[in-house]
Amino acid sequence: MPHHTCASHRIKFFMTGVFHLLQHQSTLRERGEKDLFNSKTRNSQIQILTKMSNFAGDETAPFFGFLGAAAALVFSCMGAAYGTAKSGVGVASMGVMRPELVMKSIVPVVMAGVLGIYGLIIAVIISTGINPKTKSYYLFDGYAHLSSGLACGLAGLSAGMAIGIVGDAGVRANAQQPKLFVGMILILIFAEALALYGLIVGIILSSRAGQSRAE
């Protein structure tokens, strides 16, 4: 009987030791997984900080800058396309009866095509000014470029609509009354000036980018 009791105590002691050993191993395993997770998290945070250090300024600012460049080109080309199409229809219909006046009446088409060049100039100026890796680009700069593109683009769009309507009616009237040619040219010049105003203001606004704070 005493021998049986001693053997049961030994088995119980052995099982207790095995239980503590397994518990200790599981604790070490959990600590190792936590350390591994913490190290991975730390490495990912370091990579994010490294990427952010390569980008100077606000990360959302270039969105507005590129939007301004696109707006300048798109709206100006819309105005140029409308002016070319509208006045081109008038030139084509007038040229059926008076073909000798076609080259003389092509002036509205040329003036409408110039509007796209204004938008191209502003778009190039804006896109070359966006380089956050060499110079800090903040929201102030993005808004300046956006307003520059909208000023030039929308001014070109309005000028293109004016040139198209005046050119269409002007070339038809010029075919019937040649004395109207000078008046038509003056009207087209003042319509073209609207886009020129937008180009000037767009250049001034784009030059304001980069002046939000001292580097």
Side-chain angles (χ1 to χ4, degrees), residues 4-42:
H4 178 70
T5 304
C6 183
S8 63
H9 281 297
R10 288 179 181 177
I11 294 173
K12 188 181 294 184
F13 179 76
F14 176 74
M15 295 299 293
T16 304
V18 171
F19 175 75
H20 286 297
L21 180 61
L22 293 175
Q23 188 176 10
H24 181 65
Q25 288 180 352
S26 63
T27 303
L28 291 177
R29 189 180 300 109
E30 290 177 359
R31 289 180 180 177
E33 291 177 354
K34 289 182 179 179
D35 293 338
L36 181 61
F37 176 76
N38 292 332
S39 63
K40 289 182 179 180
T41 305
R42 195 178 301 111

PDB file of all heavy atoms in Angstrom, residues 4-42:
ATOM      1  N   HIS A   4       2.311   1.669  -3.452  1.00  0.00           N
ATOM      2  CA  HIS A   4       1.331   2.158  -4.435  1.00  0.00           C
ATOM      3  C   HIS A   4       1.132   3.673  -4.284  1.00  0.00           C
ATOM      4  O   HIS A   4       1.038   4.407  -5.278  1.00  0.00           O
ATOM      5  CB  HIS A   4       0.011   1.416  -4.228  1.00  0.00           C
ATOM      6  CG  HIS A   4      -1.076   1.899  -5.160  1.00  0.00           C
ATOM      7  ND1 HIS A   4      -1.039   1.643  -6.519  1.00  0.00           N
ATOM      8  CD2 HIS A   4      -2.201   2.611  -4.908  1.00  0.00           C
ATOM      9  CE1 HIS A   4      -2.100   2.174  -7.071  1.00  0.00           C
ATOM     10  NE2 HIS A   4      -2.834   2.771  -6.099  1.00  0.00           N
ATOM     11  N   THR A   5       1.092   4.170  -3.041  1.00  0.00           N
ATOM     12  CA  THR A   5       0.934   5.609  -2.788  1.00  0.00           C
ATOM     13  C   THR A   5       2.125   6.382  -3.305  1.00  0.00           C
ATOM     14  O   THR A   5       1.996   7.457  -3.907  1.00  0.00           O
ATOM     15  CB  THR A   5       0.745   5.861  -1.280  1.00  0.00           C
ATOM     16  OG1 THR A   5      -0.367   5.082  -0.828  1.00  0.00           O
ATOM     17  CG2 THR A   5       0.470   7.324  -1.027  1.00  0.00           C
ATOM     18  N   CYS A   6       3.333   5.871  -3.111  1.00  0.00           N
ATOM     19  CA  CYS A   6       4.562   6.538  -3.582  1.00  0.00           C
ATOM     20  C   CYS A   6       4.578   6.606  -5.107  1.00  0.00           C
ATOM     21  O   CYS A   6       4.955   7.615  -5.695  1.00  0.00           O
ATOM     22  CB  CYS A   6       5.772   5.779  -3.053  1.00  0.00           C
ATOM     23  SG  CYS A   6       7.341   6.578  -3.509  1.00  0.00           S
ATOM     24  N   ALA A   7       4.133   5.525  -5.760  1.00  0.00           N
ATOM     25  CA  ALA A   7       4.113   5.521  -7.230  1.00  0.00           C
ATOM     26  C   ALA A   7       3.108   6.524  -7.758  1.00  0.00           C
ATOM     27  O   ALA A   7       3.356   7.230  -8.740  1.00  0.00           O
ATOM     28  CB  ALA A   7       3.761   4.107  -7.731  1.00  0.00           C
ATOM     29  N   SER A   8       1.949   6.630  -7.099  1.00  0.00           N
ATOM     30  CA  SER A   8       0.948   7.617  -7.543  1.00  0.00           C
ATOM     31  C   SER A   8       1.469   9.036  -7.371  1.00  0.00           C
ATOM     32  O   SER A   8       1.213   9.913  -8.207  1.00  0.00           O
ATOM     33  CB  SER A   8      -0.346   7.414  -6.773  1.00  0.00           C
ATOM     34  OG  SER A   8      -0.147   7.647  -5.388  1.00  0.00           O
ATOM     35  N   HIS A   9       2.230   9.280  -6.269  1.00  0.00           N
ATOM     36  CA  HIS A   9       2.808  10.621  -6.067  1.00  0.00           C
ATOM     37  C   HIS A   9       3.817  10.924  -7.156  1.00  0.00           C
ATOM     38  O   HIS A   9       3.884  12.062  -7.651  1.00  0.00           O
ATOM     39  CB  HIS A   9       3.464  10.710  -4.693  1.00  0.00           C
ATOM     40  CG  HIS A   9       2.473  10.924  -3.580  1.00  0.00           C
ATOM     41  ND1 HIS A   9       1.669  12.044  -3.477  1.00  0.00           N
ATOM     42  CD2 HIS A   9       2.146  10.138  -2.503  1.00  0.00           C
ATOM     43  CE1 HIS A   9       0.893  11.965  -2.421  1.00  0.00           C
ATOM     44  NE2 HIS A   9       1.167  10.791  -1.784  1.00  0.00           N
ATOM     45  N   ARG A  10       4.610   9.961  -7.557  1.00  0.00           N
ATOM     46  CA  ARG A  10       5.596  10.176  -8.606  1.00  0.00           C
ATOM     47  C   ARG A  10       4.921  10.480  -9.944  1.00  0.00           C
ATOM     48  O   ARG A  10       5.346  11.380 -10.681  1.00  0.00           O
ATOM     49  CB  ARG A  10       6.480   8.927  -8.749  1.00  0.00           C
ATOM     50  CG  ARG A  10       7.445   8.736  -7.587  1.00  0.00           C
ATOM     51  CD  ARG A  10       8.255   7.465  -7.808  1.00  0.00           C
ATOM     52  NE  ARG A  10       9.170   7.251  -6.691  1.00  0.00           N
ATOM     53  CZ  ARG A  10       9.971   6.186  -6.576  1.00  0.00           C
ATOM     54  NH1 ARG A  10       9.919   5.241  -7.528  1.00  0.00           N
ATOM     55  NH2 ARG A  10      10.782   6.072  -5.555  1.00  0.00           N
ATOM     56  N   ILE A  11       3.859   9.748 -10.252  1.00  0.00           N
ATOM     57  CA  ILE A  11       3.145   9.996 -11.509  1.00  0.00           C
ATOM     58  C   ILE A  11       2.524  11.384 -11.496  1.00  0.00           C
ATOM     59  O   ILE A  11       2.582  12.137 -12.475  1.00  0.00           O
ATOM     60  CB  ILE A  11       2.064   8.915 -11.727  1.00  0.00           C
ATOM     61  CG1 ILE A  11       2.722   7.556 -11.951  1.00  0.00           C
ATOM     62  CG2 ILE A  11       1.177   9.274 -12.910  1.00  0.00           C
ATOM     63  CD1 ILE A  11       1.748   6.401 -12.004  1.00  0.00           C
ATOM     64  N   LYS A  12       1.929  11.749 -10.339  1.00  0.00           N
ATOM     65  CA  LYS A  12       1.316  13.067 -10.233  1.00  0.00           C
ATOM     66  C   LYS A  12       2.365  14.166 -10.362  1.00  0.00           C
ATOM     67  O   LYS A  12       2.160  15.177 -11.051  1.00  0.00           O
ATOM     68  CB  LYS A  12       0.587  13.178  -8.901  1.00  0.00           C
ATOM     69  CG  LYS A  12      -0.249  14.453  -8.784  1.00  0.00           C
ATOM     70  CD  LYS A  12      -0.924  14.525  -7.427  1.00  0.00           C
ATOM     71  CE  LYS A  12      -1.953  13.392  -7.289  1.00  0.00           C
ATOM     72  NZ  LYS A  12      -2.692  13.486  -6.016  1.00  0.00           N
ATOM     73  N   PHE A  13       3.528  13.989  -9.748  1.00  0.00           N
ATOM     74  CA  PHE A  13       4.615  14.967  -9.833  1.00  0.00           C
ATOM     75  C   PHE A  13       5.132  15.078 -11.270  1.00  0.00           C
ATOM     76  O   PHE A  13       5.406  16.170 -11.781  1.00  0.00           O
ATOM     77  CB  PHE A  13       5.746  14.559  -8.872  1.00  0.00           C
ATOM     78  CG  PHE A  13       6.921  15.488  -8.903  1.00  0.00           C
ATOM     79  CD1 PHE A  13       6.862  16.736  -8.280  1.00  0.00           C
ATOM     80  CD2 PHE A  13       8.091  15.138  -9.570  1.00  0.00           C
ATOM     81  CE1 PHE A  13       7.942  17.582  -8.313  1.00  0.00           C
ATOM     82  CE2 PHE A  13       9.163  15.988  -9.609  1.00  0.00           C
ATOM     83  CZ  PHE A  13       9.096  17.221  -8.980  1.00  0.00           C
ATOM     84  N   PHE A  14       5.217  13.933 -11.969  1.00  0.00           N
ATOM     85  CA  PHE A  14       5.695  13.917 -13.351  1.00  0.00           C
ATOM     86  C   PHE A  14       4.707  14.639 -14.278  1.00  0.00           C
ATOM     87  O   PHE A  14       5.094  15.439 -15.130  1.00  0.00           O
ATOM     88  CB  PHE A  14       5.892  12.471 -13.806  1.00  0.00           C
ATOM     89  CG  PHE A  14       6.289  12.345 -15.250  1.00  0.00           C
ATOM     90  CD1 PHE A  14       7.586  12.666 -15.661  1.00  0.00           C
ATOM     91  CD2 PHE A  14       5.378  11.926 -16.197  1.00  0.00           C
ATOM     92  CE1 PHE A  14       7.943  12.548 -16.985  1.00  0.00           C
ATOM     93  CE2 PHE A  14       5.733  11.827 -17.518  1.00  0.00           C
ATOM     94  CZ  PHE A  14       7.030  12.118 -17.926  1.00  0.00           C
ATOM     95  N   MET A  15       3.421  14.379 -14.072  1.00  0.00           N
ATOM     96  CA  MET A  15       2.418  15.033 -14.893  1.00  0.00           C
ATOM     97  C   MET A  15       2.387  16.544 -14.649  1.00  0.00           C
ATOM     98  O   MET A  15       2.205  17.341 -15.567  1.00  0.00           O
ATOM     99  CB  MET A  15       1.043  14.428 -14.609  1.00  0.00           C
ATOM    100  CG  MET A  15       0.900  12.962 -15.016  1.00  0.00           C
ATOM    101  SD  MET A  15       1.145  12.726 -16.787  1.00  0.00           S
ATOM    102  CE  MET A  15      -0.291  13.575 -17.404  1.00  0.00           C
ATOM    103  N   THR A  16       2.570  16.920 -13.363  1.00  0.00           N
ATOM    104  CA  THR A  16       2.614  18.358 -13.062  1.00  0.00           C
ATOM    105  C   THR A  16       3.784  19.030 -13.743  1.00  0.00           C
ATOM    106  O   THR A  16       3.673  20.134 -14.291  1.00  0.00           O
ATOM    107  CB  THR A  16       2.691  18.563 -11.545  1.00  0.00           C
ATOM    108  OG1 THR A  16       1.589  17.895 -10.917  1.00  0.00           O
ATOM    109  CG2 THR A  16       2.641  20.045 -11.193  1.00  0.00           C
ATOM    110  N   GLY A  17       4.936  18.375 -13.740  1.00  0.00           N
ATOM    111  CA  GLY A  17       6.114  18.934 -14.416  1.00  0.00           C
ATOM    112  C   GLY A  17       5.917  19.056 -15.914  1.00  0.00           C
ATOM    113  O   GLY A  17       6.299  20.056 -16.524  1.00  0.00           O
ATOM    114  N   VAL A  18       5.301  18.018 -16.504  1.00  0.00           N
ATOM    115  CA  VAL A  18       5.044  18.082 -17.947  1.00  0.00           C
ATOM    116  C   VAL A  18       4.088  19.221 -18.265  1.00  0.00           C
ATOM    117  O   VAL A  18       4.259  19.956 -19.254  1.00  0.00           O
ATOM    118  CB  VAL A  18       4.480  16.731 -18.445  1.00  0.00           C
ATOM    119  CG1 VAL A  18       3.993  16.859 -19.888  1.00  0.00           C
ATOM    120  CG2 VAL A  18       5.538  15.641 -18.323  1.00  0.00           C
ATOM    121  N   PHE A  19       3.052  19.418 -17.436  1.00  0.00           N
ATOM    122  CA  PHE A  19       2.083  20.491 -17.653  1.00  0.00           C
ATOM    123  C   PHE A  19       2.773  21.856 -17.583  1.00  0.00           C
ATOM    124  O   PHE A  19       2.554  22.728 -18.441  1.00  0.00           O
ATOM    125  CB  PHE A  19       0.966  20.395 -16.615  1.00  0.00           C
ATOM    126  CG  PHE A  19      -0.012  21.533 -16.679  1.00  0.00           C
ATOM    127  CD1 PHE A  19      -0.958  21.598 -17.705  1.00  0.00           C
ATOM    128  CD2 PHE A  19       0.012  22.544 -15.731  1.00  0.00           C
ATOM    129  CE1 PHE A  19      -1.851  22.646 -17.769  1.00  0.00           C
ATOM    130  CE2 PHE A  19      -0.879  23.586 -15.792  1.00  0.00           C
ATOM    131  CZ  PHE A  19      -1.816  23.637 -16.813  1.00  0.00           C
ATOM    132  N   HIS A  20       3.626  22.051 -16.574  1.00  0.00           N
ATOM    133  CA  HIS A  20       4.346  23.329 -16.459  1.00  0.00           C
ATOM    134  C   HIS A  20       5.288  23.537 -17.630  1.00  0.00           C
ATOM    135  O   HIS A  20       5.460  24.678 -18.118  1.00  0.00           O
ATOM    136  CB  HIS A  20       5.112  23.376 -15.144  1.00  0.00           C
ATOM    137  CG  HIS A  20       4.230  23.588 -13.942  1.00  0.00           C
ATOM    138  ND1 HIS A  20       3.469  24.729 -13.756  1.00  0.00           N
ATOM    139  CD2 HIS A  20       3.980  22.798 -12.851  1.00  0.00           C
ATOM    140  CE1 HIS A  20       2.797  24.644 -12.627  1.00  0.00           C
ATOM    141  NE2 HIS A  20       3.090  23.463 -12.038  1.00  0.00           N
ATOM    142  N   LEU A  21       5.916  22.488 -18.091  1.00  0.00           N
ATOM    143  CA  LEU A  21       6.828  22.604 -19.228  1.00  0.00           C
ATOM    144  C   LEU A  21       6.078  23.012 -20.497  1.00  0.00           C
ATOM    145  O   LEU A  21       6.522  23.890 -21.246  1.00  0.00           O
ATOM    146  CB  LEU A  21       7.556  21.268 -19.452  1.00  0.00           C
ATOM    147  CG  LEU A  21       8.559  21.235 -20.627  1.00  0.00           C
ATOM    148  CD1 LEU A  21       9.673  22.249 -20.394  1.00  0.00           C
ATOM    149  CD2 LEU A  21       9.143  19.833 -20.790  1.00  0.00           C
ATOM    150  N   LEU A  22       4.924  22.377 -20.754  1.00  0.00           N
ATOM    151  CA  LEU A  22       4.134  22.741 -21.919  1.00  0.00           C
ATOM    152  C   LEU A  22       3.614  24.170 -21.829  1.00  0.00           C
ATOM    153  O   LEU A  22       3.572  24.909 -22.816  1.00  0.00           O
ATOM    154  CB  LEU A  22       2.958  21.768 -22.072  1.00  0.00           C
ATOM    155  CG  LEU A  22       3.327  20.322 -22.415  1.00  0.00           C
ATOM    156  CD1 LEU A  22       2.071  19.446 -22.415  1.00  0.00           C
ATOM    157  CD2 LEU A  22       4.011  20.249 -23.778  1.00  0.00           C
ATOM    158  N   GLN A  23       3.202  24.555 -20.611  1.00  0.00           N
ATOM    159  CA  GLN A  23       2.715  25.916 -20.425  1.00  0.00           C
ATOM    160  C   GLN A  23       3.822  26.937 -20.670  1.00  0.00           C
ATOM    161  O   GLN A  23       3.612  27.988 -21.282  1.00  0.00           O
ATOM    162  CB  GLN A  23       2.152  26.068 -19.010  1.00  0.00           C
ATOM    163  CG  GLN A  23       1.428  27.398 -18.777  1.00  0.00           C
ATOM    164  CD  GLN A  23       0.820  27.452 -17.393  1.00  0.00           C
ATOM    165  OE1 GLN A  23       1.095  26.589 -16.546  1.00  0.00           O
ATOM    166  NE2 GLN A  23      -0.001  28.463 -17.133  1.00  0.00           N
ATOM    167  N   HIS A  24       5.039  26.597 -20.213  1.00  0.00           N
ATOM    168  CA  HIS A  24       6.170  27.496 -20.420  1.00  0.00           C
ATOM    169  C   HIS A  24       6.511  27.617 -21.904  1.00  0.00           C
ATOM    170  O   HIS A  24       6.807  28.710 -22.409  1.00  0.00           O
ATOM    171  CB  HIS A  24       7.373  26.969 -19.623  1.00  0.00           C
ATOM    172  CG  HIS A  24       8.598  27.855 -19.748  1.00  0.00           C
ATOM    173  ND1 HIS A  24       8.638  29.140 -19.257  1.00  0.00           N
ATOM    174  CD2 HIS A  24       9.803  27.617 -20.321  1.00  0.00           C
ATOM    175  CE1 HIS A  24       9.822  29.666 -19.522  1.00  0.00           C
ATOM    176  NE2 HIS A  24      10.548  28.751 -20.163  1.00  0.00           N
ATOM    177  N   GLN A  25       6.459  26.489 -22.629  1.00  0.00           N
ATOM    178  CA  GLN A  25       6.743  26.513 -24.062  1.00  0.00           C
ATOM    179  C   GLN A  25       5.707  27.330 -24.825  1.00  0.00           C
ATOM    180  O   GLN A  25       6.039  28.078 -25.743  1.00  0.00           O
ATOM    181  CB  GLN A  25       6.794  25.085 -24.611  1.00  0.00           C
ATOM    182  CG  GLN A  25       8.031  24.299 -24.172  1.00  0.00           C
ATOM    183  CD  GLN A  25       8.035  22.898 -24.745  1.00  0.00           C
ATOM    184  OE1 GLN A  25       7.040  22.480 -25.335  1.00  0.00           O
ATOM    185  NE2 GLN A  25       9.132  22.188 -24.554  1.00  0.00           N
ATOM    186  N   SER A  26       4.422  27.184 -24.445  1.00  0.00           N
ATOM    187  CA  SER A  26       3.381  27.970 -25.119  1.00  0.00           C
ATOM    188  C   SER A  26       3.565  29.465 -24.852  1.00  0.00           C
ATOM    189  O   SER A  26       3.351  30.308 -25.729  1.00  0.00           O
ATOM    190  CB  SER A  26       2.000  27.523 -24.659  1.00  0.00           C
ATOM    191  OG  SER A  26       1.840  27.755 -23.270  1.00  0.00           O
ATOM    192  N   THR A  27       3.987  29.790 -23.602  1.00  0.00           N
ATOM    193  CA  THR A  27       4.235  31.199 -23.280  1.00  0.00           C
ATOM    194  C   THR A  27       5.374  31.754 -24.120  1.00  0.00           C
ATOM    195  O   THR A  27       5.309  32.875 -24.655  1.00  0.00           O
ATOM    196  CB  THR A  27       4.559  31.351 -21.782  1.00  0.00           C
ATOM    197  OG1 THR A  27       3.484  30.804 -21.014  1.00  0.00           O
ATOM    198  CG2 THR A  27       4.741  32.814 -21.426  1.00  0.00           C
ATOM    199  N   LEU A  28       6.458  30.960 -24.267  1.00  0.00           N
ATOM    200  CA  LEU A  28       7.588  31.399 -25.097  1.00  0.00           C
ATOM    201  C   LEU A  28       7.183  31.553 -26.556  1.00  0.00           C
ATOM    202  O   LEU A  28       7.617  32.492 -27.238  1.00  0.00           O
ATOM    203  CB  LEU A  28       8.742  30.397 -24.970  1.00  0.00           C
ATOM    204  CG  LEU A  28       9.452  30.337 -23.611  1.00  0.00           C
ATOM    205  CD1 LEU A  28      10.517  29.250 -23.626  1.00  0.00           C
ATOM    206  CD2 LEU A  28      10.083  31.685 -23.267  1.00  0.00           C
ATOM    207  N   ARG A  29       6.315  30.654 -27.036  1.00  0.00           N
ATOM    208  CA  ARG A  29       5.878  30.720 -28.425  1.00  0.00           C
ATOM    209  C   ARG A  29       5.050  31.986 -28.669  1.00  0.00           C
ATOM    210  O   ARG A  29       5.188  32.662 -29.679  1.00  0.00           O
ATOM    211  CB  ARG A  29       5.060  29.466 -28.770  1.00  0.00           C
ATOM    212  CG  ARG A  29       4.758  29.357 -30.272  1.00  0.00           C
ATOM    213  CD  ARG A  29       3.947  28.109 -30.594  1.00  0.00           C
ATOM    214  NE  ARG A  29       4.636  26.886 -30.221  1.00  0.00           N
ATOM    215  CZ  ARG A  29       4.306  26.099 -29.215  1.00  0.00           C
ATOM    216  NH1 ARG A  29       3.254  26.410 -28.457  1.00  0.00           N
ATOM    217  NH2 ARG A  29       4.983  24.996 -28.942  1.00  0.00           N
ATOM    218  N   GLU A  30       4.144  32.314 -27.716  1.00  0.00           N
ATOM    219  CA  GLU A  30       3.334  33.523 -27.847  1.00  0.00           C
ATOM    220  C   GLU A  30       4.213  34.771 -27.829  1.00  0.00           C
ATOM    221  O   GLU A  30       3.988  35.713 -28.601  1.00  0.00           O
ATOM    222  CB  GLU A  30       2.298  33.585 -26.727  1.00  0.00           C
ATOM    223  CG  GLU A  30       1.198  32.539 -26.852  1.00  0.00           C
ATOM    224  CD  GLU A  30       0.232  32.594 -25.681  1.00  0.00           C
ATOM    225  OE1 GLU A  30       0.464  33.438 -24.784  1.00  0.00           O
ATOM    226  OE2 GLU A  30      -0.742  31.824 -25.670  1.00  0.00           O
ATOM    227  N   ARG A  31       5.216  34.760 -26.942  1.00  0.00           N
ATOM    228  CA  ARG A  31       6.118  35.910 -26.899  1.00  0.00           C
ATOM    229  C   ARG A  31       6.880  36.055 -28.215  1.00  0.00           C
ATOM    230  O   ARG A  31       7.095  37.161 -28.723  1.00  0.00           O
ATOM    231  CB  ARG A  31       7.088  35.768 -25.735  1.00  0.00           C
ATOM    232  CG  ARG A  31       6.441  35.956 -24.367  1.00  0.00           C
ATOM    233  CD  ARG A  31       7.475  35.802 -23.276  1.00  0.00           C
ATOM    234  NE  ARG A  31       6.861  35.972 -21.949  1.00  0.00           N
ATOM    235  CZ  ARG A  31       7.528  35.836 -20.799  1.00  0.00           C
ATOM    236  NH1 ARG A  31       8.820  35.504 -20.819  1.00  0.00           N
ATOM    237  NH2 ARG A  31       6.903  36.011 -19.661  1.00  0.00           N
ATOM    238  N   GLY A  32       7.306  34.936 -28.764  1.00  0.00           N
ATOM    239  CA  GLY A  32       8.030  34.991 -30.034  1.00  0.00           C
ATOM    240  C   GLY A  32       7.167  35.506 -31.166  1.00  0.00           C
ATOM    241  O   GLY A  32       7.602  36.297 -32.004  1.00  0.00           O
ATOM    242  N   GLU A  33       5.878  35.065 -31.204  1.00  0.00           N
ATOM    243  CA  GLU A  33       4.981  35.555 -32.244  1.00  0.00           C
ATOM    244  C   GLU A  33       4.719  37.049 -32.075  1.00  0.00           C
ATOM    245  O   GLU A  33       4.647  37.798 -33.050  1.00  0.00           O
ATOM    246  CB  GLU A  33       3.665  34.778 -32.201  1.00  0.00           C
ATOM    247  CG  GLU A  33       3.800  33.317 -32.646  1.00  0.00           C
ATOM    248  CD  GLU A  33       2.496  32.566 -32.518  1.00  0.00           C
ATOM    249  OE1 GLU A  33       1.538  33.166 -31.986  1.00  0.00           O
ATOM    250  OE2 GLU A  33       2.434  31.396 -32.937  1.00  0.00           O
ATOM    251  N   LYS A  34       4.555  37.487 -30.831  1.00  0.00           N
ATOM    252  CA  LYS A  34       4.346  38.914 -30.590  1.00  0.00           C
ATOM    253  C   LYS A  34       5.567  39.719 -31.014  1.00  0.00           C
ATOM    254  O   LYS A  34       5.457  40.782 -31.626  1.00  0.00           O
ATOM    255  CB  LYS A  34       4.033  39.169 -29.110  1.00  0.00           C
ATOM    256  CG  LYS A  34       2.655  38.689 -28.698  1.00  0.00           C
ATOM    257  CD  LYS A  34       2.390  39.012 -27.232  1.00  0.00           C
ATOM    258  CE  LYS A  34       0.996  38.543 -26.809  1.00  0.00           C
ATOM    259  NZ  LYS A  34       0.736  38.840 -25.389  1.00  0.00           N
ATOM    260  N   ASP A  35       6.757  39.218 -30.680  1.00  0.00           N
ATOM    261  CA  ASP A  35       7.973  39.923 -31.082  1.00  0.00           C
ATOM    262  C   ASP A  35       8.090  39.982 -32.599  1.00  0.00           C
ATOM    263  O   ASP A  35       8.485  41.006 -33.174  1.00  0.00           O
ATOM    264  CB  ASP A  35       9.202  39.236 -30.485  1.00  0.00           C
ATOM    265  CG  ASP A  35       9.240  39.361 -28.960  1.00  0.00           C
ATOM    266  OD1 ASP A  35       8.590  40.295 -28.435  1.00  0.00           O
ATOM    267  OD2 ASP A  35       9.892  38.532 -28.304  1.00  0.00           O
ATOM    268  N   LEU A  36       7.734  38.876 -33.267  1.00  0.00           N
ATOM    269  CA  LEU A  36       7.786  38.856 -34.716  1.00  0.00           C
ATOM    270  C   LEU A  36       6.790  39.841 -35.313  1.00  0.00           C
ATOM    271  O   LEU A  36       7.096  40.571 -36.264  1.00  0.00           O
ATOM    272  CB  LEU A  36       7.507  37.440 -35.232  1.00  0.00           C
ATOM    273  CG  LEU A  36       7.546  37.230 -36.757  1.00  0.00           C
ATOM    274  CD1 LEU A  36       8.932  37.560 -37.300  1.00  0.00           C
ATOM    275  CD2 LEU A  36       7.170  35.796 -37.105  1.00  0.00           C
ATOM    276  N   PHE A  37       5.567  39.859 -34.719  1.00  0.00           N
ATOM    277  CA  PHE A  37       4.549  40.802 -35.208  1.00  0.00           C
ATOM    278  C   PHE A  37       4.993  42.245 -34.980  1.00  0.00           C
ATOM    279  O   PHE A  37       4.832  43.102 -35.862  1.00  0.00           O
ATOM    280  CB  PHE A  37       3.227  40.527 -34.502  1.00  0.00           C
ATOM    281  CG  PHE A  37       2.135  41.499 -34.861  1.00  0.00           C
ATOM    282  CD1 PHE A  37       1.480  41.402 -36.078  1.00  0.00           C
ATOM    283  CD2 PHE A  37       1.779  42.507 -33.977  1.00  0.00           C
ATOM    284  CE1 PHE A  37       0.483  42.308 -36.416  1.00  0.00           C
ATOM    285  CE2 PHE A  37       0.794  43.407 -34.304  1.00  0.00           C
ATOM    286  CZ  PHE A  37       0.140  43.295 -35.519  1.00  0.00           C
ATOM    287  N   ASN A  38       5.560  42.505 -33.817  1.00  0.00           N
ATOM    288  CA  ASN A  38       6.021  43.858 -33.513  1.00  0.00           C
ATOM    289  C   ASN A  38       7.160  44.271 -34.449  1.00  0.00           C
ATOM    290  O   ASN A  38       7.236  45.424 -34.889  1.00  0.00           O
ATOM    291  CB  ASN A  38       6.475  43.953 -32.059  1.00  0.00           C
ATOM    292  CG  ASN A  38       5.310  43.819 -31.091  1.00  0.00           C
ATOM    293  OD1 ASN A  38       4.174  44.168 -31.425  1.00  0.00           O
ATOM    294  ND2 ASN A  38       5.572  43.316 -29.889  1.00  0.00           N
ATOM    295  N   SER A  39       8.042  43.332 -34.756  1.00  0.00           N
ATOM    296  CA  SER A  39       9.147  43.654 -35.657  1.00  0.00           C
ATOM    297  C   SER A  39       8.641  43.938 -37.066  1.00  0.00           C
ATOM    298  O   SER A  39       9.101  44.878 -37.730  1.00  0.00           O
ATOM    299  CB  SER A  39      10.160  42.511 -35.680  1.00  0.00           C
ATOM    300  OG  SER A  39       9.569  41.327 -36.197  1.00  0.00           O
ATOM    301  N   LYS A  40       7.641  43.130 -37.525  1.00  0.00           N
ATOM    302  CA  LYS A  40       7.075  43.386 -38.850  1.00  0.00           C
ATOM    303  C   LYS A  40       6.373  44.733 -38.890  1.00  0.00           C
ATOM    304  O   LYS A  40       6.496  45.489 -39.852  1.00  0.00           O
ATOM    305  CB  LYS A  40       6.097  42.276 -39.227  1.00  0.00           C
ATOM    306  CG  LYS A  40       6.766  40.934 -39.541  1.00  0.00           C
ATOM    307  CD  LYS A  40       5.729  39.907 -39.957  1.00  0.00           C
ATOM    308  CE  LYS A  40       6.385  38.573 -40.304  1.00  0.00           C
ATOM    309  NZ  LYS A  40       5.380  37.557 -40.709  1.00  0.00           N
ATOM    310  N   THR A  41       5.610  45.034 -37.816  1.00  0.00           N
ATOM    311  CA  THR A  41       4.926  46.321 -37.758  1.00  0.00           C
ATOM    312  C   THR A  41       5.917  47.469 -37.750  1.00  0.00           C
ATOM    313  O   THR A  41       5.731  48.485 -38.426  1.00  0.00           O
ATOM    314  CB  THR A  41       4.039  46.383 -36.504  1.00  0.00           C
ATOM    315  OG1 THR A  41       3.154  45.266 -36.497  1.00  0.00           O
ATOM    316  CG2 THR A  41       3.243  47.681 -36.484  1.00  0.00           C
ATOM    317  N   ARG A  42       6.995  47.293 -36.996  1.00  0.00           N
ATOM    318  CA  ARG A  42       8.024  48.324 -36.925  1.00  0.00           C
ATOM    319  C   ARG A  42       8.690  48.534 -38.283  1.00  0.00           C
ATOM    320  O   ARG A  42       8.929  49.658 -38.716  1.00  0.00           O
ATOM    321  CB  ARG A  42       9.061  47.939 -35.862  1.00  0.00           C
ATOM    322  CG  ARG A  42       9.973  49.099 -35.458  1.00  0.00           C
ATOM    323  CD  ARG A  42      10.943  48.666 -34.366  1.00  0.00           C
ATOM    324  NE  ARG A  42      10.242  48.195 -33.179  1.00  0.00           N
ATOM    325  CZ  ARG A  42      10.229  46.925 -32.779  1.00  0.00           C
ATOM    326  NH1 ARG A  42      10.859  46.000 -33.470  1.00  0.00           N
ATOM    327  NH2 ARG A  42       9.569  46.585 -31.692  1.00  0.00           N
TER     328      ARG A  42
END
